Amino acid sequence: MKKMNKTTKSNLITYGMVIILFAVMQILVMGGHISSLLQGLLVPLCAYIILAVSLNLTVGILGELSLGHAGFMCVGAFTSAFFSKCMAEVIPVAGARYLLAILIGAASAGICGILIGIPVLRLKGDYLAIVTLAFGEIIKNIVNILFIGRDEAGFHFSTKDTLSLGLSTDGEVIVNGPQGITGTPKDSTFAIGVILILITLFIVLNLIHSRSGRAIMAIRDNRIAAESIGINITKYKLMAFSISASLAGVAGVIYAHNLATLTAQPKNFGYNMSIMILVFVVLGGIGNIRGSIIAAVVLTLLPELLRGLSDYRMLIYAIVLIAMMLFNWSPKAIAWREQYSAKFKQGKQKEAA
């Protein structure tokens, strides 16, 4: 029997971890062991995991800092919600409409990633962080001043108010400025979210272990050496960044189709959201996809699990953050993990012999 290689085994463990998480949560939900508030976090949790994994592709694998991941999420959320709202009667089959919404959200976010990446990724330093930070704020502010309506004459656009749209009596306001989009079909479910997580992991893990992934990591490790052996720096940087942006758009689709009203507020599409996603990546380990998943799950569910300790909830949350950071990045902790890993491998080799 052919022995499974290390990469395949590692990937299967990652997929299995997500499937086990889904199975455990489903059992707890069916048994009524978790609160309704915690159940309400399951779909956003899927979006956060996809965001963490996709950002790790940029920060960990490509080695570039992005501070506007919430901006790409916002693009995917609003383009898909706009499509679903307009096509609710034209495409009555929820599954087909949702699939098209995912493709539209991913494509629109990916195009934005390409448009930003082409001029910026040619430069060195932290230019990408500055530009993506600005992009996230610009997108949020554009959505908040945008009014779109529809009547028998077609679509009407304005940046003032709904009255300036000039709609007929039968017209409908779709995007209502700061009030966002109301009435998007709630097609997102925890099961669909887990399927999209597995698809995201499949894309990212296969990219990392492909020839293109090795070229991307070579650029991260030594740009000059990579360029000297003929690697197209801009091409591979743009590939990683646009895929990361597209996956963030998919997370936006999941998020948008779980809400009755979608609004572009600082708490969901602002700078703080981008920083929270970056925290998932850093705490889980930069370049560690499995660690990003664990960090996203722990840091999303922990505040709700500690709700009973109202006075000490955020204190415990902060202590967990510090403990995770120390465990991941302390030199002693790293040395201990390496020593334990070496002993574990030796034990396995003795058993095999």
Side-chain angles (χ1 to χ4, degrees), residues 5 13 20 28 52 54 57 78 106 113 133-134 142 153 177 182 194 213 236 243 249 259 265 267 273 327 332 341 351:
N5 64 48
I13 290 171
I20 290 169
L28 291 174
S54 61
L57 181 59
F78 274 90
L133 174 61
I142 287 175
T182 302
V194 170
Y236 286 108
I243 291 172
L259 299 172
Q265 297 177 355
K267 66 179 182 180
M273 172 64 83
F327 181 76
K332 290 185 178 180
S341 178
E351 287 179 5

Side-chain angles (χ1 to χ4, degrees), residues 135-306:
F135 168 75
E137 294 302 310
I138 289 168
I139 287 295
K140 179 170 62 67
N141 287 309
I142 287 175
V143 169
N144 282 328
I145 64 167
L146 190 62
F147 296 85
I148 303 176
R150 180 179 62 173
D151 59 15
E152 63 274 4
F155 290 100
H156 301 257
F157 302 86
S158 175
T159 56
K160 295 180 180 179
D161 51 38
T162 54
L163 295 175
S164 61
L165 289 173
L167 295 173
S168 65
T169 53
D170 296 331
E172 177 190 17
V173 177
I174 300 174
V175 181
N176 193 11
Q179 297 180 32
I181 300 177
T182 302
T184 303
K186 296 186 72 173
D187 295 328
S188 293
T189 63
F190 184 47
I192 291 174
V194 170
I195 291 170
L196 291 174
I197 289 171
L198 292 172
I199 293 171
T200 300
L201 288 171
F202 179 80
I203 293 169
V204 172
L205 292 174
N206 277 278
L207 175 63
I208 291 171
H209 299 297
S210 68
R211 183 178 179 181
S212 297
R214 288 190 290 273
I216 291 166
M217 287 185 280
I219 295 168
R220 175 198 64 190
D221 295 336
N222 194 321
R223 179 192 175 104
I224 296 172
E227 198 167 13
S228 69
I229 61 172
I231 294 176
N232 189 327
I233 303 293
T234 304
K235 171 189 170 182
Y236 286 108
K237 276 191 168 186
L238 195 59
M239 177 192 294
F241 187 66
S242 58
I243 291 172
S244 175
S246 294
L247 294 174
V250 172
V253 177
I254 297 172
Y255 187 84
H257 288 73
N258 187 51
L259 299 172
T261 301
L262 178 66
T263 56
Q265 297 177 355
K267 66 179 182 180
N268 54 0
F269 295 120
Y271 173 72
N272 289 337
M273 172 64 83
S274 294
I275 293 298
M276 185 182 76
I277 302 162
L278 185 61
V279 167
F280 294 158
V281 173
V282 173
L283 288 180
I286 294 176
N288 186 343
I289 301 299
R290 206 179 298 162
S292 295
I293 297 171
I294 295 169
V297 171
V298 171
L299 297 182
T300 302
L301 299 182
L302 190 62
E304 184 58 38
L305 293 172
L306 297 174

Side-chain angles (χ1 to χ4, degrees), residues 2 6 8 32 45 52 65 80 83 87-88 97 105-106 129 152 156 210 227 245 256 269 274 285 288 291 308 328 345:
K2 189 177 178 180
K6 186 178 178 181
T8 304
L45 174 63
L65 180 60
S80 64
F83 170 81
M87 295 294 169
R97 185 180 61 239
E152 63 274 4
H156 301 257
S210 68
E227 198 167 13
F269 295 120
S274 294
N288 186 343
N328 278 327
K345 287 179 181 178

